[in-house]
């Protein structure tokens, strides 16, 4: 059975890329399921763009393999159902927006009526309808990035690689791209998102992988990753007192700061039991506030941890 | 099919960037100037040498001089129109969105090659054909082997375009331009060394020319074209700067065709195997 049938959209095994003395990728292993929105994170120079380029056969690996929708990345047919927004969104600036989408649709082998219809839809969706007949040379950075996203989606791909898709966008543009990614998720399209903007990853991705020095240092569902570092602040009614024995009987260690109890839990689902236990001890609770770590905190923690190691 | 589409796209880009328009307009200007110059000088020669019987030779001389200028224009156009097409797209990263489509990399190179080959053939037909026609209409003299001669000039341009495409897969635009023109300079110098060697009967000088022709056979192609397009009388007396004393053989033409093919194959391989 091919990966295309087994629910795996992208499989990366032992991927290594050496540029002269520089090791850009060092045995990267990764799998992305079909229909998943996957965020690929890492500091500058971690090997993210190199990995994406190998997936599209723009760069040849020194070792390892990449399978895209069941076909080796080196097979040009693998790209029939693949879309790509490059990091450097420079395109044929002598074409108008309409012509540009038509050219890229034609390169994907789409028939003319379908190209026309899809082009109009995408220009509308990415708020570029007014620029339809303008040459790309007069486009702003944000417009170029949006038309770049349109060319990546022109043929209705099954997997889309987006390399820093919002780097040149204003908040409105980012919102549009975020909505497009949500649309892709609903349609069952796999999205592989390379981004420095952690807030974007946080609101769009199902699962994230952290890469550092060409290696995957962590990979998992975003919810688990963020929940894993959950802190809960429970504020008690004034005058409520807990004895040392009460505190010792709690299932999790508490840090007491006046009337506030701070707990660090491995999972948010442990909160109800903790509250029930406190209530059973006769404690009157005024508020319970889970304080989820931001992705940025997790990112820094992982990168610093690796650095220390 | 993709090759033809890429070729069409490349020509469309040349059109949108006004390259085709400029080439067309300046070609017409060149031909108009040649027609005026030809008529004035040819009339003067006829007036000064009435009944000399050298009408054909005079017309032939002016035509070859015109074709010599055409040959240089074709060399420049072949290199300059091609020099940025691959390296420029690699440097600007605009190649990424194209090569990431479901196409083979060789289709990109072959498509571009086809476009520039067509451009060269059209320019040779327009300029070279124009010069020959102007001479024919103005003097009634038609140079021999016109089609073969123009085909050799076109092959010369196509070889330079192919070589420039090959350079563009690995070198920056500037380095590529310098490399191709320097190589052409070697071929040009070698060609003249061979001709002068032929004139004075120095075999070593002739061999130098042959070796440089193997390195880049463009000058040899021009020499053979010039030999074929001039009347035998000129060749016997080597009386003009365009007379050919050491005639490149038909084997050199076959070598040039092989050279062109190998260059295109190398360009395909070099582009296909590089990281983008």
């Amino acid at each position: 059975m091919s990966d295309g049938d087994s629910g795996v959209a992208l499989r990366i095994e032992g991927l290594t890329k050496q540029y002269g003395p520089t090791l850009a990728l060092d045995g990267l292993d990764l799998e992305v399921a079909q229909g998943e929105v996957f965020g690929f994170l890492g500091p500058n120079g971690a090997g993210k763009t190199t990995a994406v380029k190998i997936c599209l056969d723009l760069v040849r690996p020194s070792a390892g393999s990449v399978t895209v929708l069941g076909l080796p990345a080196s097979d040009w047919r693998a790209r029939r159902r693949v879309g790509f927004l490059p990091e450097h969104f420079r395109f044929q600036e002598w074409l108008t927006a309409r012509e540009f989408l038509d050219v890229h649709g034609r390169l994907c082998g789409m028939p003319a009526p379908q190209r026309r219809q899809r082009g109009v839809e995408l220009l509308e969706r990415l708020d570029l309808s007014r620029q339809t007949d303008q040459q790309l040379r007069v486009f702003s950075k944000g417009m170029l990035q949006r038309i770049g996203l349109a060319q990546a989606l022109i043929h209705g791909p099954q997997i889309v690689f987006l390399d820093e898709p919002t780097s040149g966008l204003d908040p409105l543009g980012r919102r549009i791209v975020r909505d497009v990614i949500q649309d892709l998720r609903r349609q069952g399209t796999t999205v592989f998102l390379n981004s420095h903007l952690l807030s974007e990853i946080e609101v769009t991705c199902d699962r994230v992988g952290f890469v550092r020095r060409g290696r995957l240092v962590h990979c998992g569902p975003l919810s688990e990753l963020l929940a894993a570092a959950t802190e809960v602040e429970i504020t008690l009614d004034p005058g409520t007192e807990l004895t040392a024995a009460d505190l010792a009987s709690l299932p999790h260690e508490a840090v007491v700061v006046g009337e506030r109890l701070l707990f660090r839990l491995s999972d948010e689902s442990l909160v109800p039991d903790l509250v029930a236990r406190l209530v059973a001890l006769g404690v009157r609770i005024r508020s319970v506030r889970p304080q989820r770590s931001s992705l940025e905190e997790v990112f820094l923690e992982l990168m610093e941890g690796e650095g220390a190691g | 099919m993709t090759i033809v589409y890429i070729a069409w796209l490349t020509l469309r880009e040349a059109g949108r960037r006004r390259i085709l328009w400029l080439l067309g307009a300046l070609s017409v200007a060149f031909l108009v100037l040649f027609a005026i110059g030809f008529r004035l000088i040819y009339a003067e020669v006829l007036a000064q040498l009435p009944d000399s019987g050298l009408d054909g030779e005079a017309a032939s001389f002016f035509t070859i001089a015109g074709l010599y200028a055409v040959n240089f224009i074709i060399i420049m156009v072949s290199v300059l129109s091609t020099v940025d097409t691959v390296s420029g797209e690699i440097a600007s990263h605009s190649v990424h969105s194209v090569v990431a489509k479901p196409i083979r990399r060789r289709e990109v190179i072959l498509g571009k090659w086809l476009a520039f080959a067509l451009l060269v053939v059209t320019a040779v037909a327009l300029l070279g054909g124009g010069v020959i026609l102007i001479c024919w209409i103005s003097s009634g003299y038609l140079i021999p082997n016109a089609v073969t001669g123009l085909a050799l000039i076109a092959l010369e341009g196509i070889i330079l375009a192919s070589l420039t495409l090959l350079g563009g897969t690995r070198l920056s635009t500037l380095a590529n331009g310098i490399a191709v023109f320097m190589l052409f300079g070697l071929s040009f110098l070698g060609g003249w060394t061979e001709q002068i060697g032929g004139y004075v009967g120095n075999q070593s000088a002739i061999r130098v020319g042959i070796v440089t022709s193997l390195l880049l056979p463009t000058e040899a192609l021009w020499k053979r074209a010039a030999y074929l397009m001039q009347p035998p009388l000129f060749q016997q007396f080597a009386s003009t700067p365009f007379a050919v004393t050491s005639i490149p053989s038909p084997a050199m033409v076959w070598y040039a065709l092989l050279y062109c093919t190998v260059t295109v194959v190398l360009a395909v391989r070099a582009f296909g195997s590089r990281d983008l």
Side-chain angles (χ1 to χ4, degrees):
Chain A
M1 188 190 281
S2 73
D3 284 350
D5 302 323
S6 65
V8 176
L10 174 69
R11 176 171 285 140
I12 297 175
E13 289 174 311
L15 198 61
T16 301
K17 179 63 186 179
Q18 186 101 32
Y19 288 110
T22 309
L23 192 60
L25 289 173
D26 184 12
L28 181 74
D29 292 302
L30 188 65
E31 266 191 18
V32 177
Q34 282 185 9
E36 191 171 46
V37 179
F38 183 84
F40 201 42
L41 296 168
N44 290 334
K48 304 187 301 292
T49 295
T50 301
V52 167
K53 282 183 172 180
I54 293 175
C55 292
L56 290 142
D57 198 35
L58 293 171
V59 166
R60 306 283 154 73
S62 307
S65 67
V66 175
T67 310
V68 183
L69 300 170
L71 287 170
S74 55
D75 188 334
W76 66 276
R77 283 165 293 206
R79 297 192 294 277
R80 278 182 179 152
R81 292 173 295 161
V82 175
F84 174 46
L85 170 65
E87 182 187 15
H88 302 279
F89 36 95
R90 291 284 302 275
F91 307 112
Q92 296 98 330
E93 58 178 25
W94 48 276
L95 291 168
T96 66
R98 186 206 307 270
E99 291 168 340
F100 175 71
L101 292 185
D102 189 68
V103 164
H104 284 265
R106 171 70 183 73
L107 289 173
C108 291
M110 294 169 72
Q114 205 182 330
R115 296 201 298 268
R116 270 196 295 275
Q117 188 193 339
R118 185 84 178 131
V120 170
E121 280 170 19
L122 283 167
L123 288 171
E124 176 82 28
R125 183 74 187 86
L126 290 156
D127 196 25
L128 290 167
S129 295
R130 277 172 300 162
Q131 285 78 30
T132 299
D133 293 311
Q134 284 181 12
Q135 284 191 5
L136 302 195
R137 73 173 79 245
V138 300
F139 272 37
S140 69
K141 202 174 168 189
M143 287 178 192
L144 279 175
Q145 202 155 20
R146 277 182 280 145
I147 195 78
L149 182 58
Q151 65 79 32
L153 303 177
I154 185 78
H155 56 308
Q158 261 182 274
I159 179 167
V160 189
F161 292 88
L162 306 177
D163 200 352
E164 303 289 353
T166 54
S167 60
L169 297 178
D170 58 20
L172 191 66
R174 275 186 210 166
R175 176 66 182 270
I176 292 171
V177 171
R178 200 185 305 155
D179 290 348
V180 167
I181 294 174
Q182 298 299 352
D183 288 349
L184 291 170
R185 184 207 303 276
R186 276 192 287 277
Q187 291 157 14
T189 307
T190 310
V191 180
F192 190 99
L193 186 62
N194 248 9
S195 182
H196 281 100
L197 294 171
L198 299 175
S199 55
E200 294 296 321
I201 296 264
E202 207 164 348
V203 293
T204 48
C205 293
D206 304 318
R207 209 158 61 91
V208 290
F210 291 85
V211 66
R212 188 170 190 277
R213 292 183 187 156
R215 286 187 156 194
L216 196 68
V217 293
H218 184 89
C219 189
L222 190 63
S223 54
E224 269 181 26
L225 191 72
L226 296 177
T230 296
E231 282 190 353
V232 182
E233 182 188 279
I234 298 179
T235 307
L236 309 180
D237 239 11
T240 305
E241 283 188 12
L242 279 172
T243 64
D246 287 340
L247 287 171
S249 71
L250 292 173
H252 307 285
E253 194 183 338
V255 175
V256 182
V257 183
E259 286 151 357
R260 291 179 299 138
L261 302 177
L262 299 173
F263 296 91
R264 192 170 174 84
L265 305 180
S266 59
D267 195 321
E268 249 183 26
S269 66
L270 299 169
V271 175
D273 283 345
L274 176 63
V275 173
R277 179 75 189 133
L278 283 166
V279 171
L281 287 171
V283 172
R284 289 171 64 81
I285 295 172
R286 179 166 285 187
S287 69
V288 177
R289 286 196 301 170
Q291 296 179 321
R292 302 177 76 196
S293 297
S294 71
L295 188 59
E296 187 175 327
E297 283 166 330
V298 176
F299 179 85
L300 291 173
E301 203 171 290
L302 273 168
M303 293 304 143
E304 281 163 8
E306 277 290 307
Chain B
M1 206 52 196
T2 304
I3 294 172
V4 175
Y5 185 67
I6 298 274
W8 180 80
L9 204 59
T10 306
L11 289 174
R12 196 173 164 198
E13 181 178 1
R16 199 59 73 82
R17 291 188 188 278
R18 299 183 191 166
I19 293 170
L20 297 184
W21 186 89
L22 281 169
L23 192 63
L26 292 174
S27 296
V28 170
F30 173 88
L31 292 174
V32 168
L33 185 66
F34 178 77
I36 294 169
F38 187 94
R39 278 177 179 270
L40 290 175
I41 298 171
Y42 188 66
E44 187 66 27
V45 169
L46 289 187
Q48 292 196 8
L49 300 168
D51 307 321
S52 66
L54 291 173
D55 312 8
E57 279 69 17
S60 168
F61 178 81
F62 296 138
T63 308
I64 290 295
L67 288 174
Y68 190 66
V70 168
N71 185 53
F72 260 101
I73 292 172
I74 294 301
I75 287 161
M76 301 298 281
V77 166
S78 305
V79 177
L80 294 178
S81 61
T82 321
V83 73
D84 192 47
T85 189
V86 178
S87 53
E89 288 185 10
I90 292 172
S92 74
H93 304 282
S94 64
V95 73
H96 286 168
S97 61
V98 175
V99 175
K101 292 289 179 298
I103 58 173
R104 300 172 185 90
R105 282 200 201 179
R106 68 167 175 265
E107 290 170 329
V108 175
I109 292 293
L110 292 175
K112 284 180 181 289
W113 180 85
L114 182 62
F116 291 112
L118 281 172
L119 189 72
V120 167
V121 169
T122 307
V124 171
L126 182 67
L127 286 164
V131 164
I132 292 168
L133 266 178
I134 287 166
C135 168
W136 193 17
I137 292 166
S138 306
S139 69
Y141 174 79
L142 178 63
I143 61 164
N145 304 307
V147 173
T148 311
L150 291 183
L152 291 174
I153 294 173
L155 178 59
E156 184 188 354
I158 292 171
I159 285 176
L160 281 170
S162 309
L163 194 65
T164 313
L165 265 185
L166 169 62
T169 62
R170 295 287 163 146
L171 300 172
S172 70
T173 300
L174 201 56
N176 187 25
I178 290 171
V180 174
F181 276 122
M182 286 304 289
L183 206 55
F184 173 76
L186 284 178
S187 168
F188 183 79
L189 191 65
W192 280 101
T193 306
E194 182 182 350
Q195 293 313 312
I196 295 167
Y199 189 67
V200 299
N202 186 317
Q203 287 304 312
S204 299
I206 292 174
R207 274 197 290 277
V208 167
I210 292 171
V211 169
T212 54
S213 296
L214 293 176
L215 205 60
L216 183 63
T218 47
E219 187 64 13
L221 288 174
W222 160 250
K223 296 290 184 199
R224 183 153 181 86
Y227 164 74
L228 290 173
M229 292 191 289
Q230 292 181 83
L233 188 66
F234 273 31
Q235 302 301 338
Q236 278 172 12
F237 296 106
S239 52
T240 78
F242 312 114
V244 183
T245 54
S246 174
I247 306 150
S249 69
M252 184 54 86
V253 178
W254 286 109
Y255 174 76
L257 284 168
L258 179 70
Y259 185 97
C260 187
T261 309
V262 170
T263 307
V264 174
V265 169
L266 287 177
V268 165
R269 290 179 70 120
F271 186 65
S273 62
R274 70 159 290 162
D275 289 338
L276 293 170

